[in-house]
Amino acid sequence: MNIQDNYQKNRKNIFFSENKDIETHREKLINIFENDRFDKKNNESLKNINLKNFIDFNYKYLIPEETSVINNTHENSYSIVSVNGQCSTFKDDKIEITKILDEDYNDFSKNNTIEKNDHFVNLNSLFLNSGFKIVIKRNNKIKIKISNIVTDDDLTIFQKNNIICQEGSSLSLIEEYENKNNSTSNILNVIKLEKHSQLNHFLIQDNSSNHNLIITSHSSCKKDSTYTQKVYNFSEGYVRNFHYSELIETNSEADLQGIFFLKDNNTSNNKTFVKHLAEDCKSNQVYKGILNDRAKATYFSNTHVDQVAQKTEGYQLSKGILLSDSASYFSKPELKIYADDVKCSHGSTIGPIDENAIFYLRSRGMSKIAATKILISSFINEELSSIDNEQMSEIIQKKLVRYLSKVK
Amino acid sequence: MFLEIKDLSVKIENKNILNGLNLNINKGEVHAIMGPNGCGKSTLANVLAGKEDYEILNGKINFKDNDLFDLNIEERAQEGMFLAFQYPVEIPGVNITPFLHSAINSKRKRMNEEEIDNLSFAKLLKSKASDLGINIDMLKRSVNTGFSGGEKKRYEILQMSILNPDLAILDETDSGLDIDALKIVTDGVNKLKTKDNSFLIITHYQKLLDYIKPDYVHVMVNGSIVKSGGSEIADEIEKDGFQKFQ
């Protein structure tokens, strides 16, 4: 079924389909799909992926029978279970959770300039069927854990979340994606950090092989704010992590880190993009991958420094270990600098595990398998030891042990 | 015989490196191999330790009544063979202490000995490090990472003293060491020497042998031992070089 027919058939279940402006915007998106020649060479959202599988899909969405749960587990600590992308409303003096509104759609989807060629973002806008908005109120320090549950097979979740950290607030957000059903989740997170705010965003991805997860996030940082994102992908199914960050006011920071652990025939596509639009801002993009069997991955990192963004510091690093001759990892770092007083760097190293290091460890009595595992752990040691959230650290260690147990 | 190398020929990437090498080492003996650059000294050390890049063309090696070629790299280490590397490998992210703890326990396990617990190991490590003038802070670092040349060699000797091997192979341990570091390293080796263990010392220079007295000195040229004798051979080499042996 083509996109137009698919949309028309399911229109009544899709958010904001009665809004005339939004419908006009969606018609434009449909035209893009119908007329696009899908330029795989120049469009990073199309690399290493069979887009046809994601465009010719059977739309299915179930409104969850049980409403999602929001618990205030401890003071300043909340636990949310999002079911099929839906979350019930909640309000106290520190946070507010509401449904997304037409204006939230317009705020990002219509004004989106960075991702206009990203077909997955366009699909998300077109078939939007779930999502919520979280506001952290001024000067509050909050912890939130969100478990994202998909209830049934064959569901197509198109979810859009807005997260707003008001001035002086601080949020530690853990998102878990651990689904075992044959479904596809296409999620767009739009994150806004007001002045002096901070967001530490952890994403743990551990889906089964029949579950596709497509996450796109866009963060914008105002003066003295910091957005930190750490992604840990242990999924056996396809995962796409694309993260865009705009540093729009001075002294703001974006720190985007990711580690993926792939095996079998799995594929993961990753991208980080940081746009420096003001002076004295810092960014850091570090992605590391461990690939076994016939796994494939891509990582595109981009730093764009606008001409007004003097005193920028922007660093990129990509590293990969290939545990098998059939695994592949394509990495492309890119810097575009239009200011003249900046410190920027990029680096990329991908290769098999260091045989000399293996020999050294074995020559001290360690078995080959133990040496391999210790070297894999050491490869990501810096990132793992920098996790300052004990709960997160434990979760990641357990998943790492599970991944390593399959390394032969 | 403790170690018996018989008619050993080895090649790598179509280049013959060892050509019919013979060497016998008994328990409690210290042997030194001297030879010019490229004569095959390090290849011999690597082949003994089990590095898999080499093709064995001919020959046999017996170590403690085992056919060495039946043992893989870690089994050789667990049986009591130790190679002090010429260029110790930097391994960022692998902490020295748990690594060494795991190494010693893998050996004890093979020997059917009880594994050493954390506390006892920490004590052992601290005392051995102190003997070698190694700062305790260094033990918190990653294996060889950011170490100076001297620190790397000292750390190799620390590992050797912890693992207490039956046969230690020192591959140009003196290279890159200043005189003070050389003394500390060689003192460490001399302390380990007993009637039950043996040493194979590979070096270019006679200097090292001023500190570690060998029972036998062998001259290696083009992948074979061309002369064997006592420490007078080292003096001869110091005086006249390797030219006359080639």
Side-chain angles (χ1 to χ4, degrees):
Chain A
M1 190 186 302
N2 69 28
I3 289 273
Q4 169 84 26
D5 295 343
N6 206 357
Y7 178 70
Q8 290 305 335
K9 189 180 155 202
N10 297 293
R11 195 168 160 266
K12 63 178 186 307
N13 298 318
I14 293 170
F15 277 11
F16 318 130
S17 54
E18 301 308 315
N19 181 314
K20 244 183 161 180
D21 277 355
I22 290 177
E23 276 303 274
T24 309
H25 176 245
R26 284 179 173 158
E27 276 168 24
K28 284 183 193 162
L29 295 180
I30 289 171
N31 277 333
I32 290 175
F33 280 106
E34 302 223 313
N35 299 325
D36 200 336
R37 285 166 300 167
F38 299 122
D39 176 7
K40 284 208 163 196
K41 200 175 165 192
N42 297 307
N43 190 327
E44 288 166 4
S45 78
L46 301 176
K47 294 246 169 158
N48 234 354
I49 189 160
N50 187 352
L51 189 70
K52 199 170 174 292
N53 291 345
F54 291 94
I55 291 178
D56 294 343
F57 64 95
N58 290 319
Y59 180 93
K60 182 182 170 189
Y61 183 73
L62 295 175
I63 296 169
E65 285 172 13
E66 281 181 39
T67 52
S68 54
V69 187
I70 301 168
N71 284 323
N72 190 343
T73 48
H74 303 286
E75 201 181 349
N76 298 332
S77 183
Y78 300 82
S79 171
I80 299 174
V81 180
S82 154
V83 184
N84 295 347
Q86 304 266 13
C87 181
S88 51
T89 57
F90 180 87
K91 188 177 179 181
D92 66 12
D93 56 342
K94 297 184 183 93
I95 70 166
E96 185 170 359
I97 301 171
T98 55
K99 296 198 177 306
I100 55 162
L101 303 172
D102 305 36
E103 65 202 47
D104 299 316
Y105 177 96
N106 285 332
D107 187 33
F108 185 80
S109 297
K110 279 182 71 177
N111 300 325
N112 150 33
T113 51
I114 293 184
E115 302 94 345
K116 63 185 171 190
N117 293 321
D118 189 328
H119 292 289
F120 286 97
V121 174
N122 290 338
L123 277 175
N124 181 287
S125 298
L126 201 49
F127 291 94
L128 190 66
N129 54 23
S130 57
F132 46 85
K133 179 175 176 176
I134 303 177
V135 178
I136 311 301
K137 294 181 183 174
R138 279 171 72 112
N139 298 326
N140 280 295
K141 197 175 175 186
I142 300 295
K143 285 182 182 172
I144 299 178
K145 184 178 173 194
I146 304 177
S147 303
N148 291 279
I149 307 290
V150 178
T151 56
D152 288 78
D153 274 336
D154 305 322
L155 294 190
T156 49
I157 313 280
F158 293 93
Q159 179 182 352
K160 180 175 188 295
N161 304 319
N162 278 26
I163 300 165
I164 297 166
C165 293
Q166 288 187 346
E167 193 172 330
S169 66
S170 168
L171 171 62
S172 169
L173 175 62
I174 298 177
E175 284 199 80
E176 277 183 344
Y177 299 88
E178 297 192 0
N179 287 297
K180 308 286 174 220
N181 39 34
N182 181 20
S183 291
T184 297
S185 298
N186 179 334
I187 299 164
L188 173 64
N189 285 318
V190 180
I191 298 156
K192 288 184 178 177
L193 285 97
E194 300 292 343
K195 287 177 186 173
H196 308 289
S197 65
Q198 196 175 349
L199 171 48
N200 287 323
H201 193 179
F202 299 96
L203 296 103
I204 309 169
Q205 301 160 345
D206 191 8
N207 297 307
S208 60
S209 61
N210 52 0
H211 191 97
N212 299 310
L213 177 64
I214 295 130
I215 295 194
T216 313
S217 64
H218 178 275
S219 64
S220 62
C221 292
K222 288 194 176 168
K223 194 175 178 209
D224 298 326
S225 67
T226 302
Y227 177 64
T228 303
Q229 186 185 72
K230 297 185 177 185
V231 182
Y232 306 95
N233 174 12
F234 292 91
S235 286
E236 292 177 2
Y238 172 72
V239 175
R240 191 192 92 142
N241 284 304
F242 274 28
H243 303 288
Y244 302 85
S245 194
E246 285 187 296
L247 301 169
I248 55 179
E249 290 186 5
T250 56
N251 205 30
S252 54
E253 282 187 45
D255 185 1
L256 307 175
Q257 289 182 22
I259 308 177
F260 49 86
F261 303 82
L262 304 182
K263 60 185 174 68
D264 302 326
N265 282 314
N266 200 8
T267 300
S268 178
N269 296 324
N270 305 280
K271 177 176 173 174
T272 56
F273 187 114
V274 180
K275 214 168 183 178
H276 284 257
L277 297 168
E279 281 192 0
D280 285 313
C281 295
K282 285 182 190 166
S283 68
N284 194 27
Q285 300 164 66
V286 179
Y287 260 66
K288 289 186 177 179
I290 297 151
L291 299 97
N292 204 353
D293 307 319
R294 294 159 306 281
K296 283 182 195 165
T298 59
Y299 174 50
F300 301 95
S301 57
N302 308 65
T303 307
H304 177 105
V305 182
D306 192 89
Q307 57 183 356
V308 300
Q310 301 296 352
K311 312 278 184 199
T312 284
E313 286 184 37
Y315 307 107
Q316 298 174 1
L317 182 64
S318 159
K319 284 186 173 184
I321 288 185
L322 305 175
L323 297 174
S324 129
D325 290 345
S326 308
S328 69
Y329 180 13
F330 177 78
S331 162
K332 185 183 164 197
E334 205 171 77
L335 288 166
K336 284 185 182 167
I337 302 171
Y338 298 98
D340 52 18
D341 183 10
V342 302
K343 282 186 204 166
C344 288
S345 68
H346 64 80
S348 183
T349 51
I350 298 163
I353 211 148
D354 181 356
E355 285 300 328
N356 288 326
I358 292 270
F359 175 56
Y360 188 85
L361 295 173
R362 291 181 75 190
S363 77
R364 300 303 183 244
M366 244 179 212
S367 70
K368 189 176 184 183
I369 189 81
T372 304
K373 286 176 183 180
I374 206 171
L375 289 175
I376 294 172
S377 299
S378 71
F379 174 67
I380 49 172
N381 177 57
E382 200 179 322
E383 286 69 30
L384 296 192
S385 56
S386 74
I387 302 173
D388 53 5
N389 182 313
E390 207 176 305
Q391 188 190 5
M392 268 295 300
S393 187
E394 271 177 31
I395 295 171
I396 302 300
Q397 283 296 346
K398 273 186 192 164
K399 291 186 189 299
L400 175 62
V401 168
R402 191 195 69 203
Y403 179 82
L404 291 178
S405 73
K406 303 274 168 61
V407 172
K408 295 278 179 277
Chain B
M1 192 67 64
F2 200 56
L3 178 78
E4 185 180 20
I5 304 174
K6 220 172 176 180
D7 202 19
L8 181 65
S9 297
V10 167
K11 73 169 183 179
I12 186 168
E13 290 168 0
N14 291 325
K15 193 178 173 201
N16 287 30
I17 309 286
L18 300 182
N19 298 298
L21 186 137
N22 292 292
L23 180 69
N24 294 329
I25 298 178
N26 287 309
K27 220 186 230 188
E29 290 177 351
V30 177
H31 287 240
I33 293 186
M34 301 180 77
N37 288 327
C39 73
K41 301 186 299 294
S42 290
T43 295
L44 175 63
N46 284 326
V47 168
L48 286 172
K51 197 161 193 198
E52 289 158 344
D53 302 352
Y54 301 94
E55 191 184 335
I56 311 295
L57 300 171
N58 188 39
K60 275 196 88 170
I61 305 177
N62 271 303
F63 174 57
K64 288 168 65 182
D65 298 328
N66 293 300
D67 181 344
L68 198 67
F69 298 139
D70 286 345
L71 305 177
N72 65 26
I73 303 165
E74 56 269 30
E75 285 168 342
R76 295 176 195 200
Q78 290 161 3
E79 278 294 326
M81 190 174 279
F82 180 89
L83 171 63
F85 281 57
Q86 184 180 1
Y87 303 110
V89 183
E90 294 195 11
I91 313 180
V94 176
N95 187 275
I96 287 169
T97 306
F99 156 60
L100 264 183
H101 191 187
S102 153
I104 193 171
N105 275 340
S106 66
K107 186 180 173 190
R108 291 173 82 99
K109 210 171 159 185
R110 186 174 174 97
M111 296 296 148
N112 290 322
E113 291 171 13
E114 201 178 327
E115 291 191 10
I116 183 164
D117 63 66
N118 284 340
L119 194 65
S120 312
F121 179 72
K123 275 186 192 164
L124 174 72
L125 184 60
K126 209 173 157 186
S127 112
K128 297 283 184 190
S130 163
D131 287 350
L132 285 164
I134 290 173
N135 193 312
I136 301 297
D137 284 344
M138 190 172 149
L139 305 176
K140 294 175 188 156
R141 289 157 65 180
S142 297
V143 175
N144 295 320
T145 308
F147 289 10
S148 68
E151 282 175 329
K152 282 181 183 169
K153 296 295 171 73
R154 224 184 289 184
Y155 177 57
E156 291 291 284
I157 303 305
L158 172 67
Q159 292 183 53
M160 188 171 80
S161 66
I162 293 279
L163 295 172
N164 195 19
D166 296 327
L167 174 66
I169 305 154
L170 276 63
D171 187 8
E172 295 194 27
T173 296
D174 50 336
S175 69
L177 290 184
D178 61 36
I179 194 76
D180 295 330
L182 182 65
K183 197 162 179 336
I184 291 169
V185 164
T186 51
D187 276 353
V189 173
N190 286 327
K191 270 184 199 164
L192 268 181
K193 231 175 93 182
T194 69
K195 62 177 176 39
D196 292 323
N197 57 23
S198 309
F199 288 82
L200 177 60
I201 294 164
I202 290 169
T203 185
H204 279 295
Y205 304 109
Q206 182 259 347
K207 190 85 205 153
L208 178 71
L209 306 181
D210 286 346
Y211 295 98
I212 305 172
K213 294 289 172 206
D215 300 304
Y216 299 93
V217 175
H218 310 275
V219 182
M220 188 169 174
V221 175
N222 293 329
S224 325
I225 303 284
V226 293
K227 187 166 183 180
S228 297
S231 56
E232 73 283 354
I233 293 181
D235 299 332
E236 214 177 305
I237 290 168
E238 182 71 7
K239 203 171 141 223
D240 302 327
F242 294 109
Q243 198 66 41
K244 70 182 216 185
F245 299 104
Q246 289 176 335

